[in-house]
Every structure is written in structure tokens, then in C-alpha cells.
Amino acid sequence: LNSIAADGARDGYDLDITRKVAEAVPVPVVASGGAGKIEHLRDALTLGGADAALIASMAHIDGRSPGDMKAELRGMGVAIRK
């Protein structure tokens, strides 16, 4: 689920639409567009109800590794797959 309005802004995912879609469909929802900091990922997975979240800008622009971000999310109490 890509929020065009949030894509590239790095100000966070559109949690309202993510939550509404996640509650309405029987398939996993992947949040896309808006990640700029680790709290955005946490919020997409918890408040937004997404099953996963894209992190392209955080990885490519900031150079953060997926493993490091997963570890940080685990430290925040978010259940993350290995």
C-alpha cells in the first residue's frame, strides 16, 4: 500500500489509510512511502497494522541496514521476523 502523498517525504507513512486497509482486507499489507526514521516503521507496524514496511530511503539514502533496523524495532518491543 503506497501513499503517493507521503512517498519520498520521509515524514511517516499514512497510518490512517494503512490501518483502514489492514482492517478491511484478508491479505498482508505492506506499508510503503514515507519512512524517514525508525519510529515511522514502528508506527506502521503497530498503529497502522501493517504486516511489513518498505524502508528504501532509510537504506539507500541513510545507509542503514535492515538488520540494524530490525534490532532497533525489537528493542522497542515490536515483534519482528528474523
Side-chain angles (χ1 to χ4, degrees):
L1 174 66
N2 186 19
S3 172
I4 296 300
D7 200 5
R10 303 185 72 189
D11 290 328
Y13 302 94
D14 183 335
L15 298 178
D16 184 48
I17 192 72
T18 303
R19 183 178 44 259
K20 286 177 181 175
V21 171
E23 290 172 351
V25 300
V27 297
V29 171
V30 179
S32 175
K37 56 186 181 177
I38 197 72
E39 290 82 6
H40 296 153
L41 299 177
R42 177 200 61 208
D43 292 348
L45 300 170
T46 57
L47 302 174
D51 297 282
L54 296 181
I55 49 139
S57 292
M58 293 176 69
H60 298 296
I61 295 171
D62 300 340
R64 299 189 67 181
S65 77
D68 288 345
M69 287 186 266
K70 285 181 176 183
E72 198 169 341
L73 288 166
R74 282 187 195 101
M76 295 175 159
V78 180
I80 300 293
R81 292 183 298 185
K82 290 186 178 191

